[in-house]
Amino acid sequence: MKNFHEAVLKTNVSKELSKAYKKALEIENGRKWVENPVTINGETTTNVKPVWGGCYANVDITESQEEGKAELILTLVSRTLPNLKEAVKSYELDGMEIINTNY
């Protein structure tokens, strides 16, 4: 689709922990609510605002050829190329293998 950038990565994890990894990766790339203190006329108020890293993530779990392991396929999509490249680099440093990118 035009105006989107994509990346697909994979890694093997323990089969027992595969669902936890899936949830962690998807939540890590979701929106988070953070407190935002604002000072106006000497008074500080705190409001809550959403923060998002700019990438949508989906994780598929498949059988690995290694016994007791599951393969995670992480798909990232973003309209913002720098955010996607940063995420891909971070996951690559964590040991994930890049399968495909569409930058």
Side-chain angles (χ1 to χ4, degrees):
M1 181 179 217
K2 194 174 179 180
N3 297 324
F4 279 95
H5 308 284
E6 308 153 356
V8 181
L9 300 98
K10 74 175 181 177
T11 191
N12 286 331
V13 298
S14 165
K15 196 172 188 175
E16 292 94 21
L17 296 174
S18 61
K19 289 181 183 176
Y21 273 101
K22 172 184 171 59
K23 188 173 183 176
L25 288 166
E26 290 176 345
I27 288 174
E28 178 177 70
N29 287 286
R31 293 186 191 272
K32 298 166 189 69
W33 293 90
V34 297
E35 289 186 10
N36 182 36
V38 179
T39 304
I40 300 173
N41 298 328
E43 271 193 48
T44 302
T45 357
T46 301
N47 64 357
V48 180
K49 68 175 188 171
V51 176
W52 184 46
C55 295
Y56 172 79
N58 182 67
V59 178
D60 290 318
I61 302 171
T62 60
E63 288 289 322
S64 174
Q65 294 186 4
E66 291 181 58
E67 187 160 335
K69 298 281 187 175
E71 187 174 78
L72 298 182
I73 305 295
L74 171 63
T75 306
L76 299 168
V77 177
S78 180
R79 286 188 182 270
T80 312
L81 184 55
N83 291 345
L84 181 62
K85 284 185 173 182
E86 182 180 324
V88 169
K89 183 177 181 180
S90 174
Y91 288 125
E92 189 177 22
L93 290 172
D94 287 341
M96 294 189 96
E97 178 186 342
I98 299 172
I99 296 175
N100 184 35
T101 58
N102 180 10
Y103 301 153

